[in-house]
């Protein structure tokens, strides 16, 4: 007597095979690398990123302009840039963790294949994180350009730095980040090369033509200059910051730490600026804060140039 189990065409019920499971996952979700394997998928092309970011900003502007929501437009566009900046910071933290893991793995190397493979995996992860960070910085920089195109003013972070690891052109670096990086010599991206020029001026001095003219003259003599200024939100230093952004010159904002130093904050800031040893100090009309910087610079033998109503005076050392 023949049963169904004697039939060569009979297929008993069973769970799906491993191959079937993988194929089903790929069909449903696409490729998803596991935590312990590299991701072979390509990064988006620069032109694709630029087009996508432009579309995002154009969509917001077209939707909100000439409506009651237009007053919220600038803040939304600023936040869009900041979204990519925060993503960059998150990847930076992952990269820091990876770096520490690599250091631990290097110390644990004992010649075994397991330890060797672990270090290779961490190294590959680190390279991927670097590439992801650079791509996200490109997103952020493209978004910052779109913000400037629509708002007619440069995008500036409300705290911290906006640094591009591809190049330092027009980077805005917070002085605390800069000085911390100087103590950590391995973090060279926050150490822009070139002669440092210190700039100071009062909150009520707004002669932008004079400031731009004098800065252009210094820039012509030192094309790779790095501008140091106080990071004020109005007056001469704001004009200088906008000059640096427009001329694509690296700038370092030395903002007073009011929480730590209280009323002495501007004078402590002056000390920090001079610790960088600028090759010259440009002084525009202001208050005792500007005079304090000029006096301390002279004591260090740093040339001081005073500017007022189109005239320049070189102070004696």
């Amino acid at each position: 007597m023949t049963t169904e189990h004697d039939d060569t065409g009979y297929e008993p019920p069973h769970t799906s095979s491993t191959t079937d499971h993988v194929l089903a996952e790929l069909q449903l979700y696409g490729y998803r690398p596991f935590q312990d394997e590299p991701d072979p998928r390509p990064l988006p092309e620069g032109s694709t990123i630029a087009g996508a970011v432009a579309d995002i900003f154009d969509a917001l502007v077209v939707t909100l302009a000439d409506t009651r929501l237009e007053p919220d437009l600038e803040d939304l566009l600023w936040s869009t840039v900041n979204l990519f900046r925060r993503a960059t910071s998150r990847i930076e933290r992952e990269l820091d963790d990876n770096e520490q893991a690599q250091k631990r793995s290097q110390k644990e190397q004992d010649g075994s294949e397991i330890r060797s493979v672990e270090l290779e995996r961490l190294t590959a992860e680190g390279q991927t994180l670097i590439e992801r960070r650079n791509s996200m910085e490109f997103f952020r920089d493209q978004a910052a350009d779109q913000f400037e195109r629509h708002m007619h003013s440069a995008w500036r972070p409300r705290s911290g730095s906006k640094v591009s690891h591809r190049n330092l052109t027009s980077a805005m670096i917070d002085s605390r980040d800069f000085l911390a990086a100087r103590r950590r010599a391995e973090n060279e991206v926050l150490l822009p090369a070139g002669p440092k020029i210190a700039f100071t001026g009062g909150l009520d001095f707004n002669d932008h033509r004079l400031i731009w003219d004098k800065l252009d003259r210094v820039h012509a003599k030192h094309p790779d200059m790095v501008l140091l200024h106080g990071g004020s939100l109005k007056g001469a230093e704001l004009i200088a910051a906008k000059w640096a952004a427009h001329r694509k010159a690296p700038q370092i904002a030395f903002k007073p730490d009011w929480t730590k130093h209280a009323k002495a904050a501007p004078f402590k800031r002056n000390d920090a600026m001079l610790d960088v040893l600028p090759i010259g100090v440009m002084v525009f009309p202001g208050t005792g804060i500007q005079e304090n910087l000029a006096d301390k610079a002279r004591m260090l033998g740093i040339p001081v140039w005073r500017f007022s109503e189109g005239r320049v005076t070189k102070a004696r050392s």
Side-chain angles (χ1 to χ4, degrees):
M1 181 176 177
T2 302
T3 66
E4 59 180 0
H5 298 287
D6 297 321
D7 184 358
T8 57
Y10 172 74
E11 177 72 17
H14 55 73
T15 58
S16 62
S17 67
T18 303
T19 302
D20 177 64
H21 175 73
V22 171
L23 291 175
E25 289 283 297
L26 288 172
Q27 290 174 339
L28 288 173
Y29 307 110
Y31 179 81
R32 292 182 301 160
F34 294 98
Q35 187 176 7
D36 59 348
E37 62 183 51
D39 189 341
R41 293 174 295 179
L43 294 167
E45 296 290 337
S47 57
T48 303
I49 292 175
V53 172
D55 289 343
I56 292 171
F57 276 77
D58 288 344
L60 285 172
V61 171
V62 169
T63 303
L64 302 184
D66 300 323
T67 73
R68 274 181 285 175
L69 296 182
E70 187 169 4
D72 300 306
L73 181 58
E74 182 173 358
D75 187 59
L76 286 172
L77 296 185
W78 186 94
S79 298
T80 302
V81 185
N82 199 50
L83 176 69
F84 294 114
R85 177 172 176 263
R86 291 179 61 186
T88 301
S89 299
R90 174 178 50 78
I91 298 173
E92 279 280 12
R93 290 192 294 271
E94 293 180 31
L95 189 56
D96 289 341
D97 293 340
N98 175 268
E99 181 183 356
Q100 296 304 315
Q102 285 193 47
K103 289 180 179 179
R104 288 194 299 270
S105 181
Q106 289 169 1
K107 293 179 181 178
E108 295 170 355
Q109 290 301 304
D110 56 8
S112 66
E113 183 178 358
I114 293 178
R115 296 298 187 191
S116 178
V117 170
E118 172 69 9
L119 182 56
E120 290 177 1
R121 180 185 68 81
L122 289 170
T123 303
E125 273 185 12
Q127 183 59 40
T128 294
L129 286 169
I130 289 173
E131 293 171 350
R132 285 174 55 200
R133 178 201 62 193
N134 291 350
S135 294
M136 201 57 67
E137 283 181 349
F138 187 72
F139 265 106
R140 181 206 60 198
D141 293 345
Q142 288 294 312
D145 290 343
Q146 289 294 324
F147 178 89
E148 183 172 358
R149 183 171 75 88
H150 289 290
M151 294 291 103
H152 307 293
S153 64
W155 184 88
R156 303 174 69 186
R158 290 171 183 164
S159 64
S161 299
K162 174 180 171 287
V163 178
S164 174
H165 287 77
R166 293 187 173 188
N167 58 72
L168 268 171
T169 302
S170 74
M172 175 62 140
I173 303 171
D174 187 279
S175 64
R176 285 164 294 188
D177 294 338
F178 173 79
L179 294 175
R182 207 157 72 100
R183 292 189 293 268
R184 305 189 312 267
E186 68 273 12
N187 198 355
E188 295 179 359
V189 69
L190 289 178
L191 292 172
K196 312 298 188 291
I197 303 294
F199 179 100
T200 186
L203 298 177
D204 297 324
F205 189 78
N206 294 300
D207 191 342
H208 63 277
R209 291 186 178 85
L210 174 63
I211 293 172
W212 277 54
D213 177 65
K214 300 308 178 184
L215 285 170
D216 279 339
R217 290 171 184 251
V218 176
H219 192 234
K221 186 174 182 180
H222 303 285
D224 56 343
M225 66 174 278
V226 178
L227 183 68
L228 317 179
H229 60 79
S232 298
L233 297 179
K234 59 181 291 189
E237 292 172 350
L238 175 60
I239 294 171
K242 291 187 174 182
W243 171 90
H246 187 78
R247 294 288 189 257
K248 307 297 182 185
Q251 54 178 307
I252 303 173
F254 285 77
K255 300 175 183 178
D257 190 340
W258 298 101
T259 302
K260 183 177 181 180
H261 300 299
K263 293 181 179 180
F267 306 103
K268 294 290 186 181
R269 181 271 314 279
N270 288 349
D271 295 338
M273 191 182 300
L274 294 175
D275 282 344
V276 182
L277 296 179
I279 64 170
V281 179
M282 303 174 68
V283 181
F284 287 81
T287 64
I289 296 172
Q290 282 68 48
E291 294 303 319
N292 175 265
L293 180 62
D295 291 342
K296 289 178 176 177
R298 282 197 301 270
M299 292 175 62
L300 293 172
I302 299 173
V304 175
W305 292 277
R306 294 179 178 275
F307 300 92
S308 177
E309 302 303 328
R311 292 175 296 188
V312 56
T313 303
K314 185 175 180 181
R316 294 179 180 178
S317 298

